[in-house]
Amino acid sequence: MSSGATRKHTALPKAQILIEALPWLVRHNGKTVVIKFGGNAMIDEDLKAAFAQDVVFLHHAGLKPVVVHGGGPQISAALDRHGIVSEFKAGLRVTTEDAMDVVRMVLAGQVQRELVGLLNQHGPLAVGLTGEDAHTITATKHQPEIDGELVDIGRVGEITAIDTGAIEALLADGRIPVVSSIARSQDDGHVYNVNADTAAAALAAALDAETLMVLTDVEGLYEDWPHSDEVISRLTATELERLLPDLSSGMVPKMEGCLHAVRNGVTTARVIDGRVQHSILLEIFTDEGIGTMVVPDEQEGDAV
């Protein structure tokens, strides 16, 4: 076979892949996508690099990505170094005043900086901010109920307001906002640690995003875990609501976030496997998609 014929032969599948993406490119052009970055994708160097490439690809493909991140493993490691014990209640980190200083330092000074740096290897794109900046996220003290009693878990916040002004200004300027899940206080001058899944969902709704994507360390929402590893590829808000009481504690804030998003104007919310390189591109630009997609109830009969 001549080299020209060989080239044609190897290039054709690439062209077909690009063409398969065309309807999705058309559909998502100009739309805002909020991506919650977390899990292994946040720790593994190759996955981190692939994540940054995906987000930059979305940007250059005409979408408007907004990245929201927490930093559970990094926070736990830093608390250990400072001799502060990590404690969890109701699936949330108990955050003392001392722990809050460390949380803020790790999220805004370490995790966010690293992510901004990875994105900016591809151009002057990413700008980091926390929920404190320009009143982006406002919260009040969150007290979860355990066995019928309200429990004090310190400086953990419940979101009361979102101001999208700064994020929208960055998007209009062609930037990629990277948001740390720390909130300003509505009432006492402090700052709060906010669950990053919850923050991403609240921002997606406030930004009128097309899609919320939550990276996890599982393939999606399982049909009947632990008896089956069959992933539910699509479900409606009402169907998800029925499943919530039986979900594992780690999945609850993710799926509650998806539910909040689609009930508040976001077209689709997806939980995808962040352990798969380029999972974001696979989910947005291919017919198969991966993970679990949640849609508003009225979309049940529609093709998404």
Side-chain angles (χ1 to χ4, degrees):
M1 196 186 283
S2 73
S3 62
T6 308
R7 236 186 353 260
K8 223 180 287 181
H9 181 68
T10 54
L12 193 56
K14 293 177 184 171
Q16 285 166 335
I17 289 164
L18 289 169
I19 290 303
E20 186 186 325
L22 181 59
W24 307 102
L25 281 165
V26 171
R27 175 182 194 148
H28 292 294
N29 193 45
K31 300 284 175 50
T32 301
V33 182
V34 175
I35 305 162
K36 156 57 187 354
F37 179 59
N40 266 328
M42 210 176 218
I43 302 163
D44 180 284
E45 296 303 323
D46 293 338
L47 288 172
K48 264 194 283 204
F51 174 83
Q53 287 174 329
D54 284 7
V55 172
V56 171
F57 188 98
L58 295 186
H59 169 81
H60 286 300
L63 288 79
K64 296 176 177 174
V66 175
V67 178
V68 180
H69 72 89
Q74 293 93 332
I75 291 168
S76 294
L79 289 172
D80 282 350
R81 285 197 300 275
H82 284 80
I84 301 170
V85 176
S86 288
E87 187 187 353
F88 290 84
K89 289 182 182 173
L92 296 166
R93 183 185 297 278
V94 176
T95 309
T96 61
E97 295 290 344
D98 288 347
M100 188 65 228
D101 289 341
V102 175
V103 167
R104 197 185 200 180
M105 181 175 70
V106 170
L107 292 183
Q110 179 190 336
V111 180
Q112 183 201 88
R113 291 296 94 209
E114 186 178 12
L115 193 43
V116 165
L118 283 168
L119 290 164
N120 285 344
Q121 285 176 8
H122 304 277
L125 298 169
V127 177
L129 63 157
T130 79
E132 301 165 72
D133 293 314
H135 292 188
T136 298
I137 305 174
T138 300
T140 190
K141 190 179 180 71
H142 173 61
Q143 290 190 291
E145 197 175 300
I146 302 175
D147 299 330
E149 285 186 32
L150 292 179
V151 179
D152 186 348
I153 54 172
R155 303 228 60 84
V156 175
E158 190 166 317
I159 296 171
T160 55
I162 298 280
D163 184 331
T164 58
I167 291 175
E168 286 178 7
L170 288 168
L171 291 173
D173 192 35
R175 311 292 178 182
I176 300 171
V178 178
V179 187
S180 305
S181 59
I182 306 164
R184 67 184 279 267
S185 170
Q186 175 183 293
D187 36 37
D188 62 9
H190 289 84
V191 294
Y192 283 108
N193 182 15
V194 175
N195 180 284
D197 298 310
T198 310
L203 280 169
L207 286 163
D208 206 16
E210 171 76 7
T211 300
L212 167 67
M213 302 183 89
V214 181
L215 270 67
T216 66
D217 284 343
V218 292
E219 292 169 75
L221 191 59
Y222 294 112
E223 189 91 52
D224 185 23
W225 185 260
H227 310 298
S228 156
D229 60 1
E230 193 70 30
V231 170
I232 302 169
S233 60
R234 173 194 169 97
L235 74 170
T236 64
T238 300
E239 287 167 344
L240 173 56
E241 200 165 32
R242 270 191 232 116
L243 293 176
L244 277 177
D246 300 320
L247 297 182
S248 65
S249 61
M251 277 308 260
V252 168
K254 293 172 174 47
M255 298 319 299
E256 280 182 343
C258 288
L259 186 61
H260 174 81
V262 299
R263 286 243 161 106
N264 289 276
V266 178
T267 311
T268 65
R270 304 143 189 259
V271 172
I272 62 172
D273 192 343
R275 300 167 303 176
V276 176
Q277 282 204 13
H278 305 299
S279 53
I280 293 170
L281 296 189
L282 288 169
E283 182 63 27
I284 285 200
F285 293 130
T286 68
D287 295 334
E288 287 82 26
I290 55 170
T292 297
M293 179 164 69
V294 184
V295 296
D297 291 324
E298 65 274 12
Q299 285 195 350
E300 173 58 2
D302 299 350
V304 173

